[in-house]
């Protein structure tokens, strides 16, 4: 047996424990990273004594981990397999190489269908849910022609632009992948049942959330980092001035990804966000052919098509490709940030809701982790009952309004406060 095959078998033999650890309530990525760094494997965490766990992560989390050991780890993992769901922790060879390169990557991802091939080019197509007929036409045209050029399409499977791009890619025999803000076993929106089934059969459904997790507003912004992370470039088709699409753009720039925009009419509110991004230096996508040529000279200039049948790419090649992508993205990020202020116009503090103002008081001028902000919120009388996803949602709102900046999964005051 080869060394690679033996290593793969060893990893797969402990995946059940990795899934168990990933599903322990309150054990976030930071806690999991600390435990694995000290104990080596998820199975070793399962076997560790409570006092040993307390030393590493504190008594509260240690008690919770101990309680979760009563679960039937093997049976739970077998159910995942029966439901057609795979779980890939970040140390698994199948974990997407492009996702490994981003800040704040998820510890593990759940998949129905297959994963994008890291040796192939990929583009995220995102935009408005309530898009226009023009937006639908453009999304269909770009997705179809990109797919015909063997470029993978990544989206969020939302109504409007995302869904249209996924459908168009599959319709012409291309490969499409959707990242959900819920469990991979839940079709959201329900109206995309056929697209969901087609993606499971001919593409992939991906999520960092546990199967069974229902969609919630606070879960969608964090998933956007995976959409951009799996892609070489983000293409925006129709976006309002304040929209979730612009969150994906911010995360793409932080990850060193290129951002391209299809321009729209200046009288169309659905194009306000797109045209604003163009003013700030985003690339312009006029036709699929021009878009591909531009990227072939920058992001994909050193691209060598891998073996798409095996889906295997050498780690060194993967890092070189990611490095070129990051370098190109950093150039664009510098270009876009040299313009007037942040991506979003700052609103007065007096226009904020009570919870937003309270959260803003907890923010620091230096970068702070989400876990630290959440810990402070638990000590606030007004915010102590708020869950982590709700705090995340408030932070996203403050970012859209210009009060908070997000950099690589860390948050700080933007310095743009208006009274």
């Amino acid at each position: 047996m080869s060394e690679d095959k033996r290593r793969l078998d060893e990893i797969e033999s402990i995946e059940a424990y990795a899934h168990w650890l990933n599903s322990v309530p309150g054990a976030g990525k930071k806690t999991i990273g600390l435990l694995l760094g000290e104990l080596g494997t998820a199975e070793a965490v399962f076997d560790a004594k409570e006092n040993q766990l307390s030393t590493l992560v504190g008594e509260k989390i240690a008690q919770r981990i101990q309680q979760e050991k009563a679960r039937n780890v093997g049976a739970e993992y077998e159910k995942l397999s029966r439901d057609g769901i795979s779980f890939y922790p970040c140390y698994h060879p199948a974990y997407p190489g492009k996702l490994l390169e981003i800040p704040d990557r998820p510890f593990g991802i759940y998949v129905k269908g297959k994963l994008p091939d890291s040796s192939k080019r990929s583009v995220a197509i995102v935009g408005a849910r309530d898009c226009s007929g023009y937006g639908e036409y453009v999304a269909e045209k770009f997705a179809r022609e990109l797919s015909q050029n063997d470029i993978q399409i990544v989206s969020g499977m939302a109504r409007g632009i995302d869904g249209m791009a996924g459908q168009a890619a599959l319709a012409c025999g291309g490969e499409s992948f959707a990242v959900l803000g819920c469990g991979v076993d839940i079709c959201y929106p329900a109206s995309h049942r056929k697209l969901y089934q087609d993606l499971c059969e001919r593409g992939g459904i991906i999520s960092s959330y546990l199967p069974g997790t229902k969609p919630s507003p606070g879960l969608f912004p964090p998933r956007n980092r995976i959409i951009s992370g799996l892609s070489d470039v983000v293409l925006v088709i129709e976006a309002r001035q304040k929209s979730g699409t612009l969150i994906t753009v911010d995360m793409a720039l932080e990850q060193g990804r290129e951002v391209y925009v299809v321009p729209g009419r200046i009288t169309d509110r659905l194009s306000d966000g797109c045209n604003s991004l163009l003013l700030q230096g985003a690339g312009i996508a006029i036709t699929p052919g021009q878009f591909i040529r531009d990227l072939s000279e920058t992001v994909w200039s050193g691209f060598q098509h891998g073996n798409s049948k095996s889906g295997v790419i050498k780690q060194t090649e993967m890092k070189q490709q990611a490095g070129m992508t990051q370098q190109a993205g950093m150039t664009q990020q510098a270009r876009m940030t040299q313009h007037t202020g942040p991506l979003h116009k700052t609103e007065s503090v007096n226009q904020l809701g009570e919870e937003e103002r309270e959260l803003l008081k907890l923010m620091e001028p230096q970068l702070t982790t989400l876990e630290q902000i959440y810990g402070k919120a638990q000590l606030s009388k007004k915010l102590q009952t708020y869950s982590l996803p709700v705090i995340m949602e408030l932070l996203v709102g403050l970012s859209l309004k210009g009060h908070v900046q997000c950099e690589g999964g860390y948050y700080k005051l933007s310095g743009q406060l208006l009274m």
Side-chain angles (χ1 to χ4, degrees):
M1 181 184 295
S2 68
E3 184 62 30
D4 288 345
K5 181 64 166 62
R6 184 179 295 107
R7 179 171 174 266
L8 183 60
D9 288 344
E10 289 175 354
I11 290 175
E12 290 181 344
S13 70
I14 61 173
E15 275 185 19
Y17 290 98
H19 163 61
W20 164 79
L21 181 58
N22 189 57
S23 63
V24 172
K29 192 185 72 169
K30 184 178 179 180
T31 297
I32 292 174
L34 178 60
L35 289 168
L36 294 180
E38 292 293 330
L39 301 176
T41 67
E43 187 174 6
V45 176
F46 186 89
D47 293 335
K49 302 297 182 183
E50 186 175 344
N51 59 352
Q52 184 181 10
L53 295 172
S54 296
T55 302
L56 295 174
V57 296
E59 185 176 346
K60 184 178 179 181
I61 293 295
Q63 289 177 350
R64 188 167 294 172
I65 293 174
Q66 199 68 23
Q67 293 168 357
E68 295 297 314
K69 292 181 180 181
R71 291 159 44 190
N72 189 327
V73 176
E76 289 183 10
Y77 189 71
E78 288 176 5
K79 185 179 185 306
L80 282 184
S81 298
R82 289 197 305 272
D83 293 340
I85 300 172
S86 300
F87 175 68
Y88 299 107
C90 58
Y91 49 78
H92 195 286
Y95 191 92
K98 291 174 183 175
L99 208 56
L100 280 173
E101 302 293 332
I102 71 169
D104 197 29
R105 66 174 182 262
F107 165 68
I109 52 176
Y110 296 90
V111 181
K112 288 199 75 171
K114 62 183 179 180
L115 284 165
D117 185 345
S118 289
S119 70
K120 297 177 66 174
R121 297 168 295 174
S122 57
V123 171
I125 297 182
V126 297
R129 286 176 169 82
D130 298 318
C131 62
S132 67
Y134 162 77
E136 288 186 355
Y137 169 79
V138 172
E140 189 273 338
K141 181 177 177 64
F142 270 84
R144 184 182 68 248
E145 295 195 28
L146 291 175
S147 296
Q148 290 170 344
N149 282 275
D150 201 27
I151 297 170
Q152 302 170 119
I153 303 300
V154 183
S155 75
M157 207 183 82
R159 290 183 295 107
I161 299 299
D162 289 48
M164 179 59 66
Q167 291 169 2
L170 294 176
C172 68
E175 294 181 301
S176 184
F177 305 87
V179 185
L180 304 187
C182 57
V184 294
D185 54 339
I186 295 176
C187 175
Y188 184 83
S191 59
H192 278 171
R193 172 59 60 181
K194 185 179 186 308
L195 174 58
Y196 174 87
Q197 292 172 342
D198 289 344
L199 285 167
C200 289
E201 294 172 4
R202 295 186 282 143
I205 299 290
I206 303 163
S207 178
S208 61
Y209 301 116
L210 296 172
T213 302
K214 295 181 179 180
S216 170
L219 300 182
F220 287 90
R223 70 90 192 250
N224 291 353
R225 79 192 192 284
I226 302 177
I227 293 176
S228 55
L230 288 171
S231 309
D232 302 316
V233 60
V234 172
L235 175 63
V236 182
I237 302 174
E238 289 195 325
R240 297 182 185 276
Q241 187 65 51
K242 295 179 182 178
S243 69
T245 299
L246 299 187
I247 300 173
T248 308
V249 169
D250 285 342
M251 293 180 174
L253 292 172
E254 290 165 13
Q255 295 166 356
R257 304 308 194 233
E258 279 278 329
V259 174
Y260 270 71
V261 174
V262 175
R265 295 177 297 187
I266 61 174
T267 57
D268 191 344
R269 299 288 73 82
L270 279 169
S271 296
D272 284 348
C274 293
N275 293 336
S276 176
L277 290 172
L278 290 173
L279 281 174
Q280 296 171 67
I284 303 175
I286 303 297
T287 67
Q290 165 262 322
F291 177 64
I292 294 172
R293 286 193 299 272
D294 280 4
L295 293 173
S296 296
E297 295 173 359
T298 55
V299 177
W300 297 328
S301 61
F303 174 77
Q304 294 181 346
H305 197 289
N307 185 346
S308 60
K309 290 184 179 180
S310 66
V312 176
I313 184 171
K314 294 180 181 179
Q315 191 74 9
T316 54
E317 293 174 351
M318 180 183 71
K319 288 183 177 179
Q320 288 171 356
Q321 182 176 342
M324 288 185 293
T325 301
Q326 185 175 22
Q327 184 177 13
M330 286 176 65
T331 301
Q332 186 183 53
Q333 185 175 25
R335 194 167 70 238
M336 293 182 71
T337 53
Q338 73 181 1
H339 291 263
T340 55
L343 290 179
H344 316 293
K345 184 178 178 181
T346 307
E347 292 183 0
S348 168
V349 172
N350 296 328
Q351 294 177 293
L352 300 177
E354 184 178 357
E355 297 88 351
E356 291 176 313
R357 291 197 298 272
E358 185 67 20
L359 184 58
L360 208 55
K361 293 177 183 177
L362 306 179
M363 300 298 296
E364 302 287 347
Q366 64 270 15
L367 292 173
T368 309
T369 66
L370 177 59
E371 289 82 1
Q372 289 173 315
I373 297 170
Y374 179 62
K376 289 183 179 181
Q378 296 303 291
L379 301 176
S380 166
K381 291 183 179 180
K382 293 181 180 179
L383 301 175
Q384 61 183 354
T385 60
Y386 284 44
S387 66
L388 182 58
V390 173
I391 295 297
M392 177 68 184
E393 186 178 359
L394 288 172
L395 283 171
V396 169
L398 288 170
S399 176
L400 285 172
K401 294 172 183 178
H403 295 297
V404 169
Q405 285 183 273
C406 177
E407 298 179 14
Y410 294 79
Y411 298 85
K412 68 176 182 178
L413 288 171
S414 68
Q416 300 285 327
L417 299 184
L418 298 176
M419 300 303 293

